[in-house]
Amino acid sequence: MLTVSDLMTFNPKTVTPMTPLTEIRRLMRAEGCRHLPVVENGRLIGIITDRDLRAVVNTPVFAVGSAETVMTSNPITVSPGTPAHRAAEMLNLYKFNSLPVVDHGVLVGIVTSSDFLAQFTEHELRSDFDYSPGEF
């Protein structure tokens, strides 16, 4: 059975609640990511997304705000052993694009809709080449 640990990004980049929004935008661009877990004292306390930034980028909040200003506090999480199909159901049900992965209270990764798309396309590409001679 495919699990979240088969798909997730391990040890993702994180920010603190006090990280300025301007720095978060720079980090997202530099890392090519759209979601950053917010961690304080080693514990996940929130998540901030590119959508959160877009909502305030043309307001005074952007210049002076920090992660805690616009983050989603206490985000829904999954564990590394969560079946991948359950995590996909959660992404679809809640209209999220990412889920922090927590093991025994510690952030260990993040799984995103892009991870699921990559898995799907990889599987489909493999199956395209799994044919018997003479099938065409």
Side-chain angles (χ1 to χ4, degrees):
M1 170 179 57
L2 194 66
T3 65
V4 166
S5 66
D6 297 318
L7 304 176
M8 71 184 207
T9 298
F10 288 85
N11 303 313
K13 296 286 184 191
T14 63
V15 295
T16 70
M18 299 312 297
T19 304
L21 296 177
T22 54
E23 173 62 16
I24 292 169
R25 180 173 67 172
R26 188 203 62 74
L27 182 60
M28 283 183 175
R29 286 179 174 172
E31 295 295 325
C33 65
R34 298 178 294 144
H35 320 90
L36 289 169
V38 182
V39 176
E40 185 173 52
N41 300 322
R43 295 288 194 211
L44 177 72
I45 63 163
I47 191 162
I48 188 165
T49 70
D50 60 338
R51 282 190 220 175
D52 299 325
L53 293 181
R54 283 196 307 267
V56 298
V57 73
N58 292 319
T59 71
V61 171
F62 185 74
V64 297
S66 63
E68 68 182 347
T69 310
V70 297
M71 73 181 190
T72 299
S73 298
N74 303 312
I76 294 172
T77 64
V78 292
S79 71
T82 301
H85 69 92
R86 290 278 181 237
E89 287 174 342
M90 293 169 71
L91 291 172
N92 186 48
L93 176 67
Y94 297 113
K95 306 300 183 221
F96 294 157
N97 284 309
S98 66
L99 291 165
V101 183
V102 175
D103 192 20
H104 297 95
V106 177
L107 177 73
V108 295
I110 191 166
V111 64
T112 69
S113 55
S114 294
D115 296 326
F116 282 95
L117 290 172
Q119 172 65 25
F120 175 78
T121 55
E122 181 181 316
H123 178 267
E124 289 300 308
L125 286 173
R126 276 195 314 264
S127 66
D128 284 349
F129 292 104
D130 290 341
Y131 67 93
S132 300
E135 250 186 55
F136 292 106

